[in-house]
Amino acid sequence: MSIFANFPLVAAIVSILSAQAVKVPIQFVGRRSWQGGMAFSTGGMPSSHSAAMAGLATAFGIEGGLDSAAFAVAAVVGMIIMFDAAGVRRHAGLQASVLNRFLRKMPDLHGELHPVKELKELLGHRPIEVFAGALWGIGIGVAVYYLFYA
């Protein structure tokens, strides 16, 4: 038996990889700057974590029904991940931004800029990015099913 026969796993992986890949052109259209590193970064539109969990839950729903235990677990874990991405992780990124601005302006005892490495600011997501990721994952889960497993 091949790992590719595991529809929920394939749906989740295709959802996360495609969501990461689509961040680059979306960033280019939105900000007119090409940032290939966005494909390997956290944050941005759409949320790949949300896409992965929505793709996984969709696959479980298609395979076992919306009343299956697997769908319930994936849906609840997905909601927790999405809440965390738009809440705790997003606010940690906002705090990192404030700290970075503070550190850039804070002279040390010798009058030089503080030698601390800057903190990563793009950690979480705006709610629309989480929602878009969830829709992306549902769409990818359905597409993968009809293209390869139906």
Side-chain angles (χ1 to χ4, degrees):
M1 183 172 214
S2 167
I3 196 167
F4 297 108
N6 187 330
F7 165 51
L9 178 63
V10 170
I13 290 173
V14 170
S15 294
I16 199 167
L17 292 177
S18 62
Q20 282 297 118
V22 79
K23 286 180 182 186
V24 176
I26 288 174
Q27 178 81 6
F28 179 74
V29 169
R31 296 200 178 150
R32 300 284 183 232
S33 68
W34 188 260
Q35 296 179 2
M38 285 294 294
F40 306 100
S41 180
T42 58
M45 171 71 90
S47 165
S48 58
H49 293 92
S50 299
M53 287 310 300
L56 182 67
T58 298
F60 281 140
I62 290 170
E63 261 194 347
L66 299 180
D67 60 345
S68 69
F71 173 77
V73 169
V76 170
V77 171
M79 286 186 263
I80 292 167
I81 286 172
M82 291 177 209
F83 181 80
D84 180 65
V88 175
R89 284 182 38 230
R90 179 167 185 245
H91 285 94
L94 294 172
Q95 289 176 347
S97 177
V98 169
L99 287 170
N100 285 338
R101 280 183 281 166
F102 177 75
L103 289 174
R104 279 186 223 112
K105 293 180 180 182
M106 186 180 90
D108 65 9
L109 296 175
H110 305 292
E112 299 174 6
L113 290 178
H114 198 283
V116 175
K117 180 181 174 186
E118 284 201 1
L119 300 169
K120 182 169 175 53
E121 295 178 14
L122 192 57
L123 298 172
H125 295 279
R126 294 176 295 147
I128 189 69
E129 295 168 341
V130 171
F131 182 70
L135 289 179
W136 184 267
I138 291 167
I140 293 294
V142 170
V144 166
Y145 176 75
Y146 282 109
L147 288 171
F148 302 106
Y149 297 95

